[in-house]
Amino acid sequence: MDILSVLGLILAVIVLIIGAYKGLGALPLTLLASAVVILTSRIPIWTGFSQHYMSGYTNAYFSYFLLFCSSALYAKLMDISGCATSIGYKFIDWFGKKRVLLVSTLIISVLTYGGVSLFVVVYAVAPIMFLLFKEANLPRHLTMACLITGSATYTMTSLPGTTALTNVIPTQYLGTTLTAAPVFGILAAIAMFTMAMVYMGYAERLARKRGEVWSYPENADPLLYEIKDRSQLPSVTISFTPLISLVLIIILGSRFVANSTMLAVLGMLTGALLTYVLNIGRFKDKDMKNIFTAGLEGGITSIGGLAGVVGFGTVVSNSIAFKHIVNWVLGLGLNPYVQAIVATMVVCAVTGSSSGGLKIMYDSLGKTFLSSTANLSFLHRLSSISASALDTLPHSPGLFLMFAVLGLNHKTAYKHVFVCSIVIPSIVTIVSTVLIILFKV
C-alpha cells in the first residue's frame, strides 16, 4: 500500500473539516484539499485540476443546474407570495408551537419517502421552517437536525418501499425488492426516529437554557415573516396547491418517466407557475424582473459549493489512495453481514456519498453475497442502513447545499448532523448486525 497517498487522503479530509469549521468557502477549500491529494498521489498537477477536479465540478453543474435554478425560483415565489408563511401558520394551528421540531421532521420525512429529492425538499421546506422556528423562537441551527433526520436517515434507507437510490441499488445486485425485510426495516426506522427526536428535545432544551433565539439568514427578508394580520396572507387552499402539485408530479410521474431529475424540474416549474398565477394580484406591485433574476441566480449560488465538493470527490476517486483503501476493505475476509457494513461505511465515508459507496461495494462483492449463506433480504436492508452511517462526514456534498439554503455552516450546525446522521444510524447498524448474527437470520 502506498502509505504517502493514504496519509495524503486523510490529511485532505482533515483540511476540509478544519477549513469548513473556520468558515473557508467551498471553492478555495476543495481546491486546497484537492492539491493535497494530487501531490501525495503523484497525479500530474495540471491533469489533477484541469481534468479530474473540473470534470466533477462541471458535471455537478450539468446534472443540477436546471434543478437548482427551478427549485430556487419556486422557493422565492412561495416566500414572497406569502404562501410559505401561510402554510407555516397552518401547521402551527394544527400542532402548536411546542411541536415545531417534530412537525418539521415529519413534513420532510413524508416528502422524501414519497420520492421527492433532498435537493428539492430543502428549497420547498426551508421557508416553511423559517416561519415555524420564528414563531417558536428557536435558533435556526436546529432546522438542520430536522432536515438531516427527515431526509438522510430512515426515509432513505430503512422504510420499505422507499425509492431512494440506497434502497434501489441492492435490488440490482441481490434480486431483492424495494420492500426487502419490511419488519426489520420498520423497526430500524422507529429506532432512528425515536433516538433523533430524543436528541432534538435535548438540543431544544439546551438552546433555551443558553438563551438562544431565532435569527433570520442574511438573504431572507424579515418583513415576509413578521405578519400582524394573517387575513392578508393567501388562503390555505391557494398556499398548499403549488406544493401538492409539485409533489404529485414527482411521485405520479415516476411511474411513467424514468428521468427523476426532469420530473423534479417540471414539478418545480409547475409549482412556481401556479404560485405566480394564483397570487398574481400580490405580485402586481413587485419588481418581477428582479424576483425572477434573484430566484434563478439563487440556484446557481447553491450549486457552487456542491460542485466544488464533487470536484474534490472526483480527484479522490482517481487517486492511488482511494484504490488502495477500497481494495483493502473489499478484500477483508469477514462474515457476509459484517463485510457488507464495513465495506459500505468505509467507502461511503471516503466518497461522501451513500449511493456512490453502496454501488462500489456491490460492484465488488455482489456475486460473493449471492453465493453466501446470508439472508439476502436482511443483507439488502442492513447494507442500505449502513450507507447512511458515515456518508455525511464534513466533506459530504449535500451538506454544503443544505447549509447554503438554511444560511448555516459547519461550525453552527454540523453537531446536529453528526448525532442524527452519523451516530444514530451507526448505532442502529451495529446493533442490527449483532442481532442478525446472534439469531442466525
Side-chain angles (χ1 to χ4, degrees):
M1 181 178 289
D2 192 319
I3 300 299
L4 178 62
S5 64
V6 174
L7 291 176
L9 178 54
I10 295 172
L11 178 60
V13 173
I14 293 173
V15 167
L16 277 173
I17 294 172
I18 294 176
Y21 272 84
K22 293 292 184 181
L24 191 63
L27 181 58
L29 182 58
T30 54
L31 286 172
L32 180 60
S34 295
V36 174
V37 175
I38 289 169
L39 293 173
T40 55
S41 289
R42 296 179 292 283
I43 299 172
I45 295 176
W46 181 249
T47 299
F49 282 110
S50 67
Q51 293 184 28
H52 300 327
Y53 183 89
M54 288 310 299
S55 172
Y57 193 92
T58 54
N59 279 341
Y61 272 87
F62 178 80
S63 301
Y64 299 117
F65 179 83
L66 293 176
L67 175 60
F68 280 25
C69 288
S70 60
S71 298
L73 177 61
Y74 164 79
K76 189 76 172 177
L77 292 174
M78 284 287 285
D79 215 357
I80 293 176
S81 67
C83 286
T85 304
S86 179
I87 291 173
Y89 274 123
K90 183 49 62 175
F91 280 125
I92 290 174
D93 290 341
W94 287 339
F95 302 102
K97 296 180 182 180
K98 293 183 179 180
R99 298 184 179 87
V100 164
L101 291 165
L102 173 62
V103 172
S104 297
T105 303
L106 290 177
I107 294 169
I108 296 164
S109 299
V110 169
L111 292 176
T112 53
Y113 183 59
V116 182
S117 162
L118 160 67
F119 297 136
V120 172
V121 168
V122 64
Y123 284 103
V125 176
I128 299 172
M129 283 202 295
F130 288 168
L131 186 281
L132 293 174
F133 278 71
K134 191 271 294 187
E135 286 295 303
N137 199 26
L138 289 172
R140 184 163 27 93
H141 62 77
L142 287 174
T143 60
M144 193 63 192
C146 302
L147 181 58
I148 200 72
T149 298
S151 64
T153 58
Y154 49 84
T155 61
M156 185 178 78
T157 63
S158 303
L159 289 177
T162 176
T163 56
L165 281 175
T166 42
N167 192 40
V168 173
I169 289 172
T171 67
Q172 300 169 343
Y173 295 86
L174 303 178
T176 50
T177 66
L178 295 180
T179 57
V183 176
F184 168 35
I186 291 171
L187 291 175
I190 292 173
M192 280 190 267
F193 175 78
T194 301
M195 285 190 283
M197 294 314 303
V198 169
Y199 167 74
M200 284 187 226
Y202 162 77
E204 178 183 356
R205 291 191 298 273
L206 183 62
R208 293 196 184 279
K209 183 179 179 180
R210 291 174 174 174
E212 297 178 5
V213 296
W214 168 255
S215 63
Y216 291 99
E218 293 182 2
N219 60 347
D221 181 2
L223 295 178
L224 297 175
Y225 302 93
E226 303 295 336
I227 307 297
K228 295 181 179 180
D229 184 3
R230 287 175 55 180
S231 65
Q232 300 302 310
L233 292 170
S235 68
V236 174
T237 301
I238 289 176
S239 299
F240 272 99
T241 296
L243 177 60
I244 293 173
S245 298
L246 79 86
V247 172
L248 289 177
I249 288 173
I250 293 172
I251 295 176
L252 298 180
S254 62
R255 300 181 179 180
F256 309 100
V257 179
N259 191 327
S260 58
T261 301
M262 184 180 75
L263 283 173
V265 171
L266 177 61
M268 280 295 177
L269 290 177
T270 301
L273 179 62
L274 284 172
T275 303
Y276 177 73
V277 171
L278 294 175
N279 298 278
I280 194 166
R282 298 176 181 276
F283 288 108
K284 285 183 177 179
D285 59 342
K286 307 290 185 182
D287 184 349
M288 293 308 300
K289 290 187 293 184
N290 181 60
I291 290 174
F292 278 109
T293 300
L296 293 171
E297 289 182 348
I300 297 175
T301 302
S302 299
I303 299 176
L306 175 70
V309 183
V310 173
F312 167 74
T314 305
V315 172
V316 169
S317 65
N318 284 278
S319 69
I320 300 172
F322 181 76
K323 295 179 177 63
H324 282 316
I325 291 173
V326 171
N327 290 334
W328 172 72
V329 172
L330 297 178
L332 294 173
L334 302 171
N335 174 287
Y337 299 114
V338 178
Q339 176 82 328
I341 68 165
V342 171
T344 301
M345 291 171 73
V346 171
V347 180
C348 287
V350 175
T351 60
S353 167
S354 57
S355 58
L358 198 60
K359 189 175 188 308
I360 291 172
M361 188 277 289
Y362 273 113
D363 278 339
S364 298
L365 297 175
K367 292 182 180 179
T368 301
F369 293 144
L370 288 176
S371 61
S372 73
T373 58
N375 182 309
L376 297 183
S377 291
F378 277 82
L379 184 68
H380 166 146
R381 188 60 56 210
L382 190 61
S383 63
S384 292
I385 295 171
S386 68
S388 70
L390 297 180
D391 65 321
T392 45
L393 292 176
H395 62 287
S396 173
L399 292 181
F400 286 78
L401 169 66
M402 296 185 210
F403 288 148
V405 176
L406 297 176
L408 299 168
N409 54 48
H410 285 72
K411 186 176 182 179
T412 56
Y414 184 74
K415 57 189 174 184
H416 303 311
V417 177
F418 181 75
V419 175
C420 296
S421 186
I422 291 182
V423 174
I424 291 174
S426 293
I427 291 173
V428 172
T429 297
I430 294 170
V431 172
S432 298
T433 304
V434 171
L435 291 175
I436 288 173
I437 293 175
L438 284 177
F439 289 99
K440 298 179 181 180
V441 173

